[in-house]
Amino acid sequence: MGDVINFTGHFRKEVDAFGLNIMEDRKNVQLHISIRPPAGVVVLNTLVNGGWGQEIRAAIPDSLASCGMLDIFVLVEEKNFRIEFSKDGENENILLEMKMPHRVDFTKARLICFCDVKDNVWTGLNMPDGTSYSREIFLLQGIL
């Protein structure tokens, strides 16, 4: 509990949807975050044994839609993931906050996947030690 995962990237207005998954495998996604600019919504969900749960939706505020860079902070709390969307890297200017209850055991999450609606990779992963990755799936090592 209390872990924070921070993602930084560009707000992609030119795609139908982009997002990230914190997952155990391709059939079990503990947290799915989908940002859908044309629809003007952010969607949270969970995939369990290949079946999607009920979506949690929030409108994308104009302040978030107009920012070029985007920070997503995923905070692991006892009963929820708390997701904060910010444009300032310091998490001091939260533009949208959402909560997703733990529907499955979040400690089984081992991967992070970044993709757009057509499963194209849209970003890489830069580690604090300077190591950079550009693969679609990354192992979570001791994060959750």
Side-chain angles (χ1 to χ4, degrees):
M1 275 356 111
D3 290 320
V4 178
I5 305 171
N6 177 305
F7 304 93
T8 301
H10 296 278
F11 191 88
R12 299 282 305 266
K13 297 175 187 134
E14 72 276 7
V15 296
D16 291 335
F18 64 96
L20 60 94
N21 295 320
I22 297 176
M23 57 202 279
E24 180 179 350
D25 53 40
R26 291 202 180 267
K27 291 186 176 186
N28 294 285
V29 177
Q30 280 75 359
L31 177 62
H32 169 72
I33 302 172
S34 177
I35 301 168
R36 303 174 184 177
V41 297
V42 175
V43 176
L44 305 179
N45 208 340
T46 301
L47 183 72
V48 180
N49 296 321
W52 288 106
Q54 183 175 353
E55 293 181 339
I56 296 173
R57 293 174 162 250
I60 297 173
D62 290 338
S63 55
L64 183 61
S66 65
C67 71
M69 291 298 290
L70 171 68
D71 281 289
I72 303 173
F73 295 87
V74 177
L75 296 87
V76 182
E77 299 177 332
E78 184 176 347
K79 296 182 180 183
N80 303 293
F81 288 109
R82 183 164 36 110
I83 302 94
E84 298 174 349
F85 299 85
S86 174
K87 65 178 181 180
D88 68 5
E90 296 298 321
N91 203 19
E92 294 175 1
N93 185 14
I94 298 169
L95 304 174
L96 175 63
E97 181 177 333
M98 299 176 73
K99 286 192 176 191
M100 177 70 184
H102 297 302
R103 296 177 179 167
V104 293
D105 185 356
F106 68 86
T107 63
K108 291 184 178 180
R110 297 289 175 260
L111 307 166
I112 298 175
C113 173
F114 304 89
C115 56
D116 66 21
V117 73
K118 294 179 177 63
D119 285 329
N120 296 314
V121 178
W122 61 271
T123 190
L125 179 66
N126 295 311
M127 303 301 288
D129 67 0
T131 306
S132 181
Y133 299 94
S134 60
R135 296 183 334 197
E136 178 182 57
I137 304 235
F138 308 98
L139 284 178
L140 291 174
Q141 297 177 347
I143 293 177
L144 297 177

